[in-house]
Amino acid sequence: MPLWKVYHPVGAFTGEDKKTLATRVTELYARIPIPKFYVVFIFEEMAQDSCFVGGEPHNKFVRFRIDQMARTTPGPVIREWWMRTLDEAIPPFVKERGYDWEITIGETPFNLWSLHGELPPPFESVAEKRWVKENKASPYTTTEKLPVNLVLAPGITDR
């Protein structure tokens, strides 16, 4: 799951803005692919004079705090690519409206997360592919934890 908490001034986003931003970002994650239902957005309004930057009130500031559990971003190249991808999706909602903004991503270990009492299936597993298709969590078997493209042959040791 990526959990997006968006801290923003009161009235910064309409209901339609929130839906459009959440949909746009969900589509980015769906291309990875992860199930769309993993992506959660929470918009939190900040009252006037409730945000300070450098000790000064800043009423035109939006903070995007992202907790990623379903995937981690390995290495500096992929991390930079992902940050730039997100930075391209967000400007119409902040930059073009005169807001300053900040994005931070925290990565919770995959095995310290569950959905509806189910531990998420392994990446590229049969169960995960089913979750993507059905767009919901459901129980799965040990066999479904195996990769979709399982290769068992002599000499294959890297899987």
Side-chain angles (χ1 to χ4, degrees):
M1 162 191 305
L3 168 62
W4 282 60
K5 289 191 87 177
V6 183
Y7 301 92
H8 60 87
V10 173
F13 304 117
T14 65
E16 188 61 32
D17 291 335
K18 293 173 186 178
K19 182 177 181 353
T20 301
L21 177 57
T23 300
R24 179 178 292 183
V25 170
T26 297
E27 291 303 323
L28 293 175
Y29 283 102
R31 284 189 257 166
I32 291 175
I34 65 170
K36 288 182 178 185
F37 75 92
Y38 280 13
V39 185
V40 176
F41 266 76
I42 299 173
F43 291 86
E44 299 216 17
E45 291 187 328
M46 298 180 297
Q48 182 83 4
D49 297 326
S50 293
C51 178
F52 292 77
V53 175
E56 298 295 324
H58 195 328
N59 293 306
K60 295 288 280 181
F61 184 79
V62 178
R63 173 111 191 307
F64 298 89
R65 169 69 177 124
I66 307 159
D67 293 315
Q68 293 184 160
M69 292 75 105
R71 299 287 184 274
T72 56
T73 45
V77 173
I78 293 175
R79 287 180 178 174
E80 180 180 349
W81 164 79
W82 186 238
M83 290 301 297
R84 292 191 185 286
T85 298
L86 297 178
D87 272 327
E88 290 173 9
I90 292 171
F93 301 91
V94 287
K95 182 179 182 180
E96 295 171 16
R97 298 175 183 191
Y99 292 100
D100 290 334
W101 75 97
E102 174 179 281
I103 301 172
T104 57
I105 297 175
E107 295 184 328
T108 300
F110 184 77
N111 58 352
L112 294 176
W113 164 55
S114 70
L115 297 129
H116 316 300
E118 293 293 330
L119 297 175
F123 176 62
E124 292 293 312
S125 67
V126 171
E128 186 188 59
K129 294 293 186 188
R130 181 168 50 78
W131 282 25
V132 167
K133 182 179 177 185
E134 295 173 356
N135 199 33
K136 68 178 183 176
S138 59
Y140 55 91
T141 65
T142 301
T143 303
E144 288 181 296
K145 291 173 77 172
L146 296 173
V148 171
N149 296 314
L150 177 64
V151 177
L152 295 175
I156 306 272
T157 60
D158 65 342
R159 300 185 184 195

